[in-house]
């Protein structure tokens, strides 16, 4: 990643970008295929080179080569014999396809015989280097991942490495791949990360809001019929003292009634960026006729999908630290290594949760049942609601059944949030489209706990406790201390 960001070259910009088919060992560059000179001041570039003079850098478009000649000739498993597939496969661009939700989704869609391209600037891996973090699971490079998928299934996933905040890169990518749908995971997704210091707050807002605006403009200019499936967050709503509807609420005021966007009460610079995204998408649907689905996702847990279990090199990342780890995943890792479960404050904070297998299922349902031109629809994407205390109790019970000595402690809440509150969110639209949820059961908890035990030697216990405070957000760039 560092090499990619610092490489400079004098090649002229390309106007017809096609993914490379040469094996990696035959390429002369550090990354395969066409290299395009860029000089844009993207948020990613500014984050990497804070305080330094702007340098020219390369954007790389790449498709990983097959592992073997056998993989090149292997037929698409199941597709040619299918009688239910449409004559033309949908082309789906997964932005942020190297990340936690994005990787699982890209594999799932490819396995369902969509033609898939991953677009990613690889910055999520850079965050780990910046903060001294690491996934619980050893995760292969994106090139190795894609090659392995090709060798196992015969299916090709195209890869475009670059920053969507660079509109020239995004334009060329759209014109090269010509997507029928765009799944947009390509955002900085951590509330704690956005609250470390001023530079991370600014990066989160610029990366997320400008990146999404660029995607909207790319759809308008190059692929008017392209359906946008955007990952939002239930955190946009906050914790109101009334039921949370799916995107809109009908109110009567002074004798008049209207249906309006549900009020937003975001609780971090990350969540605020998602609110801005939703507003911009809603406006462009109205003004330009774009069809878009906003998936307000709850907290995701788990690591395994049918596809990621096919080979160790397809394994997804699994975050357990206080910056990127989500509550249930963190609790399972803490139980596995004998660390007390860290309940923030009173533990009454209640949110919607879902299995990562349901994340990929929801995205597929949204693509298969697209929004109409000009329609901005909102789905609340979760399957169950739990408080932090309830999660801790479930993990404690499951851990003790496995012979683990699971304890719980209350730690000062680093966030500014209600710790006891009403919470009732609607989530019926995806069920109506056919979602079959994987509910949190004893067997599923056993699976996640056993997975955590398998990799417990990789756990850095210094990263378990929260290290980012909402009230003490800094001004100067810093690395979170170990």
């Amino acid at each position: 990643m560092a090499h990619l960001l610092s490489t400079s070259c004098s090649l002229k910009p390309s106007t017809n970008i096609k993914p490379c088919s040469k094996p990696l060992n035959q390429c002369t560059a550090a990354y395969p295929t066409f290299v395009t000179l860029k000089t844009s001041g993207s948020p990613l570039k500014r984050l990497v080179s804070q305080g330094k003079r702007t340098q020219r850098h390369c954007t790389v478009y790449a498709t990983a080569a097959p592992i073997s000649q056998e993989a090149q000739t292997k037929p698409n498993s199941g597709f040619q014999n299918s009688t239910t597939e449409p004559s033309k496969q949908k082309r789906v661009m997964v932005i942020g396809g190297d990340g936690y939700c994005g990787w699982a989704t890209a594999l799932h869609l490819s396995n369902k015989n969509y033609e898939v391209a991953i677009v990613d600037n690889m910055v999520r891996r850079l965050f780990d280097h910046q903060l001294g973090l690491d996934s619980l699971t050893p995760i292969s490079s994106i090139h190795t991942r894609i090659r392995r998928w090709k060798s196992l299934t015969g299916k090709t996933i195209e890869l475009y490495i670059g920053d969507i905040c660079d509109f020239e890169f995004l334009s060329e990518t759209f014109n090269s791949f010509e997507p029928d749908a765009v799944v947009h995971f390509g955002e900085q997704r951590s509330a704690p990360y956005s609250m470390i210091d001023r530079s991370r707050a600014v990066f989160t807002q610029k990366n997320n809001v400008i990146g999404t605006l660029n995607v909207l403009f790319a759809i308008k200019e190059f692929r008017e019929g392209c359906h946008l499936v955007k990952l939002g967050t239930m955190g946009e709503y906050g914790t109101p003292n009334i039921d949370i509807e799916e995107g809109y609420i009908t109110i009567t005021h002074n004798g008049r009634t209207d249906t309006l966007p549900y009020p937003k009460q975001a609780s971090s610079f990350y969540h605020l960026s998602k609110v801005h995204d939703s507003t911009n998408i809603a406006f462009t649907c109205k003004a330009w006729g774009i069809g878009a689905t906003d998936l307000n996702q709850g907290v995701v847990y788990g690591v395994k999908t049918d596809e990621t279990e096919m080979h160790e090199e397809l394994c997804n990342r699994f975050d357990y630290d206080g910056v990127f780890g989500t509550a249930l995943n963190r609790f399972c890792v803490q139980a596995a290594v004998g660390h007390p479960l860290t309940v923030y404050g009173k533990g009454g904070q209640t949110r919607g949760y879902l299995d990562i297998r349901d994340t990929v299922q929801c995205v597929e349902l949204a693509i298969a049942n697209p929004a109409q031109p000009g329609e901005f629809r909102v789905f609340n994407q979760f399957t169950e609601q739990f408080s932090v205390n309830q999660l801790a109790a479930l993990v404690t019970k499951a851990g003790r059944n496995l012979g683990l000595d699971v304890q719980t402690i209350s730690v000062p809440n680093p966030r500014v949030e209600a710790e006891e509150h009403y919470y009732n969110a609607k989530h019926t639209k995806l069920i109506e489209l056919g979602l079959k949820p994987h509910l949190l059961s004893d067997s599923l908890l056993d699976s996640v706990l056993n997975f955590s035990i398998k990799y417990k030697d990789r756990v850095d216990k210094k990263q378990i406790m929260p290290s980012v405070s909402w009230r003490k957000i800094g001004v100067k760039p810093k690395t979170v201390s170990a």
Side-chain angles (χ1 to χ4, degrees):
M1 180 61 192
H3 185 96
L4 172 62
L5 291 168
S6 62
T7 301
S8 60
C9 62
S10 57
L11 298 178
K12 298 296 183 182
S14 170
T15 55
N16 286 304
I17 301 299
K18 294 183 178 180
C20 177
S21 60
K22 292 176 65 178
L24 292 180
N25 59 11
Q26 295 179 18
C27 289
T28 57
Y31 288 79
T33 195
F34 299 89
V35 182
T36 303
L37 180 66
K38 303 294 180 189
T39 57
S40 66
S42 70
L44 166 61
K45 184 176 179 187
R46 284 190 289 273
L47 180 71
V48 172
S49 58
Q50 291 163 353
K52 299 179 181 179
R53 292 185 60 186
T54 301
Q55 299 178 5
R56 296 160 76 88
H57 71 285
C58 287
T59 299
V60 177
Y61 304 76
T63 290
I67 279 181
S68 65
Q69 292 298 317
E70 178 184 1
Q72 289 178 301
T73 58
K74 187 174 180 178
N76 282 343
S77 56
F79 175 64
Q80 293 179 336
N81 297 327
S82 172
T83 59
T84 60
E85 292 295 333
S87 57
K88 181 179 181 297
Q89 292 170 280
K90 274 190 176 182
R91 300 175 64 80
V92 182
M93 177 184 290
V94 181
I95 301 174
D98 188 49
Y100 175 50
C101 293
W103 176 241
T105 299
L107 290 188
H108 180 77
L109 294 175
S110 178
N111 204 31
K112 293 293 184 178
N113 294 314
Y114 290 90
E115 293 187 29
V116 176
I118 286 175
V119 178
D120 206 299
N121 60 9
M122 317 309 292
V123 73
R124 177 62 189 86
R125 297 177 186 245
L126 177 64
F127 292 158
D128 279 352
H129 291 301
Q130 286 181 330
L131 303 179
L133 309 175
D134 199 1
S135 166
L136 176 71
T137 52
I139 50 174
S140 300
S141 72
I142 187 63
H143 300 90
T144 298
R145 284 173 154 188
I146 291 176
R147 286 198 306 268
R148 178 56 64 188
W149 179 247
K150 174 77 171 180
S151 75
L152 291 170
T153 67
K155 300 175 186 294
T156 297
I157 294 178
E158 297 183 20
L159 172 64
Y160 299 84
I161 296 178
D163 189 353
I164 64 169
C165 290
D166 178 346
F167 190 68
E168 184 179 352
F169 161 78
L170 187 62
S171 302
E172 292 167 345
T173 302
F174 259 73
N175 285 323
S176 171
F177 185 69
E178 298 183 333
D180 300 306
V182 171
V183 182
H184 185 12
F185 290 108
E187 299 195 312
Q188 193 295 100
R189 58 94 170 166
S190 165
Y193 186 89
S194 74
M195 301 299 291
I196 292 174
D197 53 36
R198 187 204 65 84
S199 66
R200 267 54 170 243
V202 170
F203 169 80
T204 299
Q205 296 264 326
K206 287 187 175 181
N207 180 79
N208 295 2
V209 177
I210 294 174
T212 299
L213 276 173
N214 278 350
V215 171
L216 292 167
F217 271 94
I219 291 173
K220 177 180 183 291
E221 293 297 320
F222 309 116
R223 297 292 293 174
E224 285 190 352
C226 182
H227 175 213
L228 174 62
V229 179
K230 170 68 166 61
L231 190 74
T233 171
M234 290 297 294
E236 292 187 31
Y237 298 120
T239 53
N241 199 37
I242 58 173
D243 291 353
I244 298 173
E245 306 297 331
E246 295 199 67
Y248 298 89
I249 185 170
T250 300
I251 62 173
T252 299
H253 179 65
N254 290 342
R256 302 186 66 84
T257 301
D258 202 353
T259 299
L260 301 170
Y262 196 96
K264 306 297 178 67
Q265 300 181 70
S267 59
S268 73
F269 289 118
Y270 155 72
H271 291 104
L272 284 163
S273 74
K274 292 287 197 175
V275 173
H276 304 329
D277 287 338
S278 296
T279 303
N280 286 336
I281 297 170
F283 170 73
T284 55
C285 287
K286 182 187 298 184
W288 300 341
I290 289 174
T293 301
D294 202 6
L295 298 175
N296 281 341
Q297 183 170 252
V299 183
V300 185
Y301 58 82
V303 67
K304 295 180 179 180
T305 63
D306 290 343
E307 293 78 21
T308 62
E309 285 193 280
M310 290 170 64
H311 194 278
E312 62 183 5
E313 288 181 346
L314 301 180
C315 187
N316 206 350
R317 71 177 304 118
F318 190 94
D319 297 306
Y320 63 89
D321 58 88
V323 178
F324 289 101
T326 55
L328 186 59
N329 286 352
R330 290 195 305 108
F331 282 174
C332 288
V333 171
Q334 290 168 8
V337 299
H339 191 288
L341 310 188
T342 53
V343 172
Y344 293 173
K346 296 178 181 179
Q349 303 93 317
T350 302
R351 302 290 186 269
Y353 288 80
L354 77 162
D355 190 301
I356 192 164
R357 292 173 294 179
D358 292 338
T359 289
V360 302
Q361 191 184 167
C362 290
V363 173
E364 183 192 357
L365 285 169
I367 295 170
N369 303 275
Q372 297 301 308
E375 179 185 11
F376 177 61
R377 62 183 186 179
V378 181
F379 298 160
N380 290 345
Q381 183 174 301
F382 69 95
T383 57
E384 298 176 275
Q385 294 179 174
F386 298 103
S387 70
V388 174
N389 285 330
Q390 287 173 325
L391 288 181
L394 289 169
V395 173
T396 298
K397 176 184 175 183
R400 289 177 178 170
N401 288 340
L402 294 176
L404 301 174
D405 180 19
V406 184
Q407 304 296 324
T408 299
I409 59 172
S410 176
V411 301
N413 193 347
R415 305 185 179 212
V416 177
E417 61 183 357
E419 296 177 0
E420 295 176 315
H421 57 85
Y422 177 81
Y423 196 85
N424 184 37
K426 307 294 180 61
H427 57 112
T428 60
K429 293 181 181 178
L430 284 162
I431 299 292
E432 292 166 0
L433 286 180
L435 172 64
K436 300 188 182 333
H438 297 83
L439 300 181
L440 186 60
S441 62
D442 290 342
S443 61
L444 177 60
L445 273 174
D446 287 350
S447 173
V448 179
L449 280 166
N450 280 315
F451 188 86
S452 302
I453 292 169
K454 176 181 177 181
Y455 291 103
K456 69 178 184 179
D457 289 343
R458 290 177 53 86
V459 174
D460 179 0
K461 293 185 179 181
K462 296 189 298 295
Q463 306 297 345
I464 288 178
M465 296 299 290
S467 56
V468 180
S469 170
W470 266 230
R471 292 177 175 85
K472 298 179 181 178
I473 184 170
V475 175
K476 296 180 180 179
K478 67 178 180 178
T479 296
V480 174
S481 58

